[in-house]
Structures are given as structure tokens and as C-alpha cells.
Amino acid sequence: MLLTVVLSFFMTNPAATHLNGQWTMDNGQLAMRPEAALAFNFQLSTFNFQLSTSNFQPSVSDSAILIGNINITGNKVTKKTVVLRELDFKAGDTLNLSSLQSMIQKGRANLINTSLFNFVTIDTAKAADGLRTDLFINLQERWYTWPLPIFELVDRNFNVWWKTKDFTRTNYGFYIIQDNFRGQNETVSFAFRGGYTSRYSLSYTIPYISK
């Protein structure tokens, strides 16, 4: 509790001095005896009284927050574990508000940077018990299957090939790239190339293999 009292007063009409005379008879002579009378005109013009109170409470940014459930929606393909590993917090952690807000922003940026989602939103709400704060992560997944055609010329440029128009001197086929394979942010790609030079390839990429 903070108490502030302000008192102010002002004096107007500063002191005025008057000299009064008194006539007396002394040994047959008339004489005047001056008497100094000092008169003050004092006026209380202003009296202010101000009372202010304030309660010392912890800053909102320093309030401890207990993280409750982390709810994830929109992940039709992506596994929940893939989403959670991009966050710097987990259910049951206790953080202050400023730290939680910073971690939420970082977590959202991490999820966007995986290239698995078009949009990511993270919201908070008090749990039913009033003691915990639940998080709600809403995701919009992007398209994960990409077929790509292959057409290559064996000759050094198109003009040379155009003179013969020999399709036996071309390579053709297709790629199929499957991102977010098994919902684990893994990538599988298969390539079939026929024609002048035949080639087949299969690749499998696992990110975060140590996690």
C-alpha cells in the first residue's frame, strides 16, 4: 500500500505595518508618543489533500503458468510427436508469461520451417480447473505427393536434336516424391528414366534421426 499526502497553503496580502500616535500631557507639555502596531492579514487560500493508493502485486509477465494439455488439430498425416519435438516446452512445465510467449513464437516458426504446413496458429486458454493453461495448435498441412516428368535430350542442344528428331536419343520418365512419409517428416523419392540411358533410383531421407 502506497500512501501519498500532499498539503499546500499560500499566504496572501503580506504583513502591513501601521504607526498609531497617542497625545499626552506631561508636565504641562503636549507630547505625542508613537506606538508601533504590527498587523498581519493572513489568508489560507489553498488546502489540498490527496490520497492515492496502489497495491504492490507481481508483474503479470512474472506470473507462473503451469502448462496443461497441448491439443493439436489439423494434422491429418503428421504425427503428434513430429509437432511436439519442434516446441521448447511440454505439458507439466512451469513458465512465466513472457517466457511462454517467446517459446510459442519460436515453436510456431520451427513448425513453419519444417515445410510441412501452410499455416500454424498457437493459442492458449485456461483449463477447466483454473490452475493450468492449455495450448491449442491448429495446423494446415500442405500437399506431400509430387509427380514430376522427365524429358532429356542426349544431343548437346535442341537444335542438333531437331535436325534428326530421333526419339531414341532422348531420356524420358518420371519422378515421384513423397514428403512427410509415414507422417514422420521423412522423404521418399522414386525415379524411373528410360530411353537412351535407363536409370532407376530410390532414395529415403530421415531427418532428426537422433531424436
Side-chain angles (χ1 to χ4, degrees):
M1 176 74 70
L2 176 64
L3 176 65
T4 303
V5 178
V6 178
L7 295 176
S8 61
F9 58 88
F10 305 91
M11 184 173 67
T12 61
N13 298 331
T17 304
H18 305 279
L19 184 65
N20 297 325
Q22 181 178 1
W23 295 89
T24 60
M25 182 67 71
D26 186 12
N27 296 325
Q29 295 182 355
L30 185 64
M32 184 183 72
R33 184 177 65 185
E35 294 180 354
L38 190 64
F40 292 95
N41 185 359
F42 182 84
Q43 178 181 356
L44 182 64
S45 62
T46 307
F47 182 84
N48 293 331
F49 182 82
Q50 177 182 350
L51 176 65
S52 64
T53 62
S54 62
N55 295 324
F56 289 103
Q57 297 179 351
S59 172
V60 174
S61 61
D62 294 331
S63 301
I65 296 178
L66 176 62
I67 298 178
N69 297 323
I70 300 178
N71 305 282
I72 303 174
T73 57
N75 55 322
K76 298 177 181 179
V77 176
T78 310
K79 301 296 184 183
K80 184 177 181 179
T81 55
V82 173
V83 177
L84 294 178
R85 73 185 175 199
E86 300 298 334
L87 306 177
D88 290 338
F89 54 85
K90 62 183 182 301
D93 286 351
T94 301
L95 305 167
N96 59 45
L97 180 59
S98 59
S99 296
L100 178 59
Q101 290 175 338
S102 176
M103 290 182 180
I104 286 176
Q105 293 178 358
K106 182 180 178 183
R108 181 181 179 278
N110 290 344
L111 290 169
I112 290 293
N113 290 337
T114 61
S115 299
L116 297 177
F117 313 104
N118 291 323
F119 300 100
V120 177
T121 60
I122 303 178
D123 299 311
T124 61
K126 276 291 185 181
D129 58 12
L131 301 176
R132 297 172 300 164
T133 297
D134 292 339
L135 274 77
F136 298 86
I137 302 176
N138 185 34
L139 308 169
Q140 184 185 81
E141 295 179 323
R142 67 175 183 83
W143 186 254
Y144 297 130
T145 304
W146 302 96
L148 301 172
I150 297 174
F151 184 78
E152 301 171 342
L153 300 176
V154 177
D155 294 318
R156 64 179 181 271
N157 57 52
F158 180 79
N159 291 333
V160 174
W161 177 82
W162 187 252
K163 292 178 181 179
T164 61
K165 302 182 183 64
D166 185 0
F167 280 92
T168 62
R169 296 186 60 78
T170 61
N171 297 320
Y172 49 85
F174 59 88
Y175 280 105
I176 294 181
I177 301 175
Q178 178 65 52
D179 292 328
N180 202 16
F181 181 64
R182 301 190 308 130
Q184 299 284 358
N185 196 18
E186 301 165 350
T187 301
V188 175
S189 63
F190 172 75
F192 166 80
R193 185 172 66 177
Y196 188 83
T197 304
S198 298
R199 180 180 299 174
Y200 310 93
S201 64
L202 177 66
S203 66
Y204 183 54
T205 304
I206 305 176
Y208 306 110
I209 195 170
S210 60
K211 292 188 178 181

